[in-house]
Amino acid sequence: MVVVMAPGATDEEIGRVVERVEGVGGEAFVSKGVVRTIIGLVGDIESFHHLNLRSLPGVADVHRISDPYKLVSRQHHPERSTVWVGPAEKQVPIGPETFTFIAGPCAVETPQQTLEAAEMAKAAGATLLRGGAFKPRTSPYAFQGLGVRGLEILADVREVTGLPVVTEVVDARDVAVVAEHADMLQIGTRNAANFGLLQAVGESGKPVLLKRGMTATIEEWLMAAEYIAQRGNLDVVMCERGIRTFEPATRNTLDISAVPVIQATSHLPVIVDPSHAAGRKDLVVPLSRAAIAVGADGIIVDVHPEPETALCDGPQALLGNDLRALATAVRQLPAAVGRLDASARTRTGRASST
Ligand code: PEP
Ligand code: MN
């Protein structure tokens, strides 16, 4: 941390900063320039925060130098992590060596619709099933999901297809029941700053898929991950799903650069959701190709057997030729950027989040 003194700050004001820092066991290195004095602080950053140095007389500014997140940072954990999802005998990796394809319906509507969507997903090469039982809808009049019944349907479909399940949790009170039925808990964009919920999934014992808040900076998104990690859960996968910008042609603007930025700053895996980014099915395949090319660790895509009757997000759901085109991209392109198919790697003999 660096304290920048105002031009003309007195020796007494500089001395007061040094005294405060040393008072909490830190060291202060004073460097006097012609116009300004700066003071470099070494020690426990959290204790410096409590000193409220910015409010001292003669202090112009205080800057952090290290990342504000620790547990999810590459500074503290240089190797990129792999998160394993699913029951012991059929765990699916999400991480730097593989490319993981997740697909399924936006919402669980009926057992038949969920099974058909899961079978479409599996036939297209998906190794994990997505599907919302608790839906975070912008309108209180829109379909809110089937709740616990939806979780039961997902668990039944996992039995039939063998695909582990990722599903959203929208309320801290539901974390236990969702964790009981699902293999991975999703935090949606609307809850990405719900700190109580982040802490609750941090204690769930299940891996977490953390969507980016729709107006969150990358640093805020990583701080959300830090909330989960701080509760002892480092099995977090980041998911870029588009951010809100001035551009109305797409539902959100896919920030493709977030993928290499996250990979440079954090050890956590990062995947892309082209469906919720675009909101239109014609863009899902091109954006998926872009995600693979940029080095994403996976994608999560909406599919539906009958998009025109879907209760949620029908216009972005793939089937037919679009899904076949996506399956081809997912089969062919990851190898070009040095990735294995997720099903080609098994956990045997490997550590989890290394
Ligand atoms: C979803 O994946 O079903 C969803 C609601 O996504 P997001 O939170 O990114 O809008
Ligand atoms: Mn949706």
Side-chain angles (χ1 to χ4, degrees):
M1 200 174 249
V2 172
V3 177
V4 181
M5 301 303 290
T10 65
D11 285 346
E12 195 191 342
E13 287 166 342
I14 295 167
R16 196 173 299 132
V17 172
V18 172
E19 202 177 288
R20 292 270 178 113
V21 169
E22 289 177 349
V24 294
E27 286 180 279
F29 297 91
V30 178
S31 161
K32 284 195 176 174
V34 180
V35 182
R36 282 180 186 269
T37 294
I38 61 170
I39 309 173
L41 311 190
V42 177
D44 174 25
I45 292 237
E46 294 316 316
S47 67
F48 299 153
H49 278 307
H50 298 307
L51 295 176
N52 210 0
L53 296 172
R54 202 175 255 119
S55 64
L56 288 183
V59 172
D61 216 343
V62 178
H63 300 282
R64 271 195 95 110
I65 295 175
S66 53
D67 295 334
Y69 37 85
K70 294 188 176 64
L71 300 170
V72 306
S73 165
R74 267 190 105 159
Q75 281 179 353
H76 295 264
H77 188 304
E79 289 292 305
R80 296 201 53 227
S81 297
T82 295
V83 171
W84 293 88
V85 183
E89 66 287 3
K90 46 183 172 217
Q91 284 193 310
V92 175
I94 307 178
E97 293 169 27
T98 47
F99 181 81
T100 306
F101 178 26
I102 308 171
C106 178
V108 173
E109 298 165 17
T110 65
Q112 177 72 7
Q113 165 261 3
T114 308
L115 181 60
E116 281 179 34
E119 276 168 349
M120 288 163 62
K122 190 172 178 180
T127 50
L128 290 171
L129 173 66
R130 64 147 288 146
F134 291 94
K135 294 305 300 175
R137 304 306 297 277
T138 303
S139 165
Y141 302 110
F143 174 58
Q144 303 288 310
L146 298 181
V148 174
R149 175 73 194 118
L151 297 176
E152 289 164 358
I153 293 173
L154 285 168
D156 289 347
V157 169
R158 175 181 49 207
E159 282 305 301
V160 179
T161 60
L163 297 176
V165 165
V166 51
T167 193
E168 183 160 352
V169 55
V170 299
D171 190 313
R173 291 168 295 188
D174 300 327
V175 167
V177 70
V178 178
E180 200 183 299
H181 291 83
D183 301 287
M184 184 179 215
L185 309 186
Q186 177 173 322
I187 297 292
T189 192
R190 292 162 188 79
N191 269 312
N194 181 341
F195 303 117
L197 180 60
L198 295 172
Q199 289 169 330
V201 297
E203 290 169 5
S204 68
K206 286 282 160 87
V208 177
L209 182 65
L210 176 62
K211 297 266 191 124
R212 179 178 184 176
M214 64 181 87
T215 58
T217 63
I218 289 175
E219 184 172 290
E220 286 164 342
W221 181 20
L222 285 165
M223 292 301 274
E226 187 80 6
Y227 265 95
I228 301 169
Q230 214 197 26
R231 294 292 165 131
N233 189 352
L234 273 166
D235 287 332
V236 180
V237 174
M238 309 293 277
C239 179
E240 164 61 40
R241 49 78 70 199
I243 50 177
R244 185 165 279 185
T245 70
F246 51 82
E247 176 52 64
T250 48
R251 187 154 115 179
N252 296 285
T253 298
L254 180 64
D255 180 10
I256 201 79
S257 57
V259 173
V261 171
I262 290 284
Q263 289 173 345
T265 45
S266 172
H267 58 91
L268 299 178
V270 55
I271 69 168
V272 167
D273 179 342
S275 307
H276 287 83
R280 313 175 10 188
K281 68 173 192 283
D282 60 317
L283 300 184
V284 172
V285 174
L287 294 181
S288 298
R289 292 188 186 120
I292 298 169
V294 85
D297 302 314
I299 51 172
I300 179 166
V301 174
D302 283 9
V303 300
H304 196 289
E306 235 181 287
E308 61 284 3
T309 65
L311 296 178
C312 185
D313 285 347
Q316 71 197 31
L318 299 191
L319 84 164
N321 284 342
D322 293 322
L323 186 54
R324 275 189 284 280
L326 182 66
T328 303
V330 166
R331 215 172 35 248
Q332 294 178 345
L333 301 183
V337 289
R339 300 274 175 156
L340 300 172
D341 191 279
S343 57
R345 192 180 155 190
T346 58
R347 193 171 188 176
T348 325
R350 296 195 186 243
S352 64
S353 319
T354 44

